[in-house]
Amino acid sequence: MSKPNKKRYKLSQVRAQFAEAVGGEQVEFEGPNDEVYTFPHPLFADEEWAKQVDAAESASGKARALLGDEQYEKFTAAGGEDNDIQLLFMAIQQDSQGQIKNRPTRR
């Protein structure tokens, strides 16, 4: 079935537009002592990562799932708080929703 306006979406362009709208496929943030940490943006994360984050039942479990074991250990050793990671994740979700409402157009 063709679209009435006869335009076709190209998946690579759609992905690139959304990545640009939300600031990239990775989230970067500064933690204690200005150390930089990263994790996948929820829109671009693989299924395994998303399942681990969704299955986490505590603040520390969610933070560990988001950051991975190595980054989580560095983050907490530097004085990072699990609840701050949850707040960050909530902010990312809210920002993403705002950006999606203003979704980029077809090129």
Side-chain angles (χ1 to χ4, degrees), residues 21-97:
V22 299
E25 294 187 25
Q26 292 282 315
V27 172
E28 274 191 8
F29 70 96
E30 288 183 21
N33 302 328
D34 298 324
E35 182 80 25
V36 176
Y37 301 87
T38 63
F39 58 86
H41 191 287
L43 288 176
F44 301 100
D46 65 42
E47 189 173 346
E48 183 62 32
W49 182 89
K51 283 180 181 180
Q52 289 177 357
V53 171
D54 290 344
E57 296 183 5
S58 66
S60 62
K62 179 83 75 176
R64 187 178 289 276
L66 285 165
L67 295 175
D69 291 333
E70 184 178 323
Q71 285 192 114
Y72 178 77
E73 295 300 329
K74 284 175 64 176
F75 178 76
T76 56
E81 306 245 352
D82 296 329
N83 287 333
D84 288 341
I85 299 298
Q86 285 193 288
L87 293 172
L88 172 65
F89 192 66
M90 289 171 49
I92 291 162
Q93 290 175 319
Q94 288 178 349
D95 288 349
S96 295
Q97 288 173 357

